[in-house]
Amino acid sequence: MIIRPEGPADVAAIRDVTIAAFKDHPHSDQTEHLIIDRLRQAGALSISLVAEVDGDVVGYIAFSPVALSDGSESWFGLGPVSILPECQGQGIGGALIRQGLSMLRDQGAAGCVVMGEPDFYRKFGFRNDPQLALKDCAPQYFLVQPLSSHGGSGMVSYNAAFYAGVDE
Ligand SMILES: CC(C)(COP(=O)(O)OP(=O)(O)OC[C@H]1O[C@@H](n2cnc3c(N)ncnc32)[C@H](O)[C@@H]1OP(=O)(O)O)[C@@H](O)C(=O)NCCC(=O)NCCS
């Protein structure tokens, strides 16, 4: 398995992997592939990595900038992250998350947030943090990982790409 930044030839495969990964997800509205397209269009894919096995894209992860209401800069949101169903449970998702976080650290990011399954994201250093909140998200499903000594507090806003309509 290799992990590398997305290239122009990966766009269709990233869509396919994302659609397949979220197809039966209980908390998905199956629009994650559109979020990725909109982030790309907006130039907001700060980190966009594919996992490739035998020349095929089997996994994908995106990181995009988030805004904090206290004005803190260089914070990012993890997601979507998606692994083809037949390739899940083999360590690929974990490898993408670790690689992305390592790249954020190298870039001097202040921190990373994620909305999702707490037991899963805790494995990668994310924790609940009462200092940071996401509108309409129960606190236990919103997790934070500081990547520098610069703290942050307040409400977190993801890129508009996460909230656009679903009629595309
Ligand atoms: C969630 C997802 C990205 C994980 O990728 P993966 O390649 O299957 O995960 P890994 O094999 O790297 O697992 C890493 C660890 O997380 C655990 N894990 C995997 N899915 C988990 C889940 N839903 N809840 C809790 N732990 C989970 C694994 O058991 C493993 O633990 P270990 O390191 O102690 O053995 C993948 O299953 C997926 O694409 N799911 C559908 C889309 C999705 O849910 N995306 C995330 C939305 S928040």
Side-chain angles (χ1 to χ4, degrees):
M1 195 247 309
I2 61 166
I3 293 177
R4 58 171 178 77
E6 75 160 59
D10 299 318
V11 170
I14 289 169
R15 285 187 128 230
D16 292 348
V17 165
T18 303
I19 290 168
F22 282 96
K23 183 165 175 284
D24 299 316
H25 193 287
H27 302 301
S28 166
D29 58 4
Q30 279 77 45
T31 61
E32 289 77 8
H33 60 293
L34 300 177
I35 294 172
I36 297 164
D37 288 347
R38 289 191 295 255
L39 285 170
R40 191 181 291 109
Q41 259 179 353
L45 280 176
S46 311
I47 293 178
S48 181
L49 301 174
V50 296
E52 192 181 281
V53 173
D54 296 333
D56 293 325
V57 172
V58 301
Y60 175 75
I61 193 166
F63 293 84
S64 57
V66 296
L68 268 57
S69 62
D70 73 349
S72 295
E73 294 185 348
S74 293
W75 280 79
F76 295 85
L78 184 167
V81 53
S82 30
I83 309 298
L84 273 186
E86 57 269 33
C87 298
Q88 292 176 9
Q90 299 172 21
I92 300 173
L96 280 168
I97 292 169
R98 286 193 191 90
Q99 176 71 23
L101 290 171
S102 162
M103 291 171 73
L104 281 181
R105 234 176 253 115
D106 289 348
Q107 293 173 14
C112 186
V113 299
V114 68
M115 185 178 54
E117 185 55 54
D119 288 344
F120 178 61
Y121 288 108
R122 273 191 241 285
K123 290 178 187 294
F124 308 102
F126 287 90
R127 299 286 181 263
N128 296 114
D129 179 352
Q131 296 292 315
L132 286 169
L134 182 68
K135 191 166 173 272
D136 297 331
C137 180
Q140 67 266 34
Y141 293 105
F142 188 61
L143 295 99
V144 177
Q145 180 162 173
L147 296 171
S148 75
S149 54
H150 308 289
S153 63
M155 295 302 293
V156 175
S157 309
Y158 279 79
N159 188 282
F162 281 86
Y163 307 106
V166 295
D167 54 345
E168 295 172 35

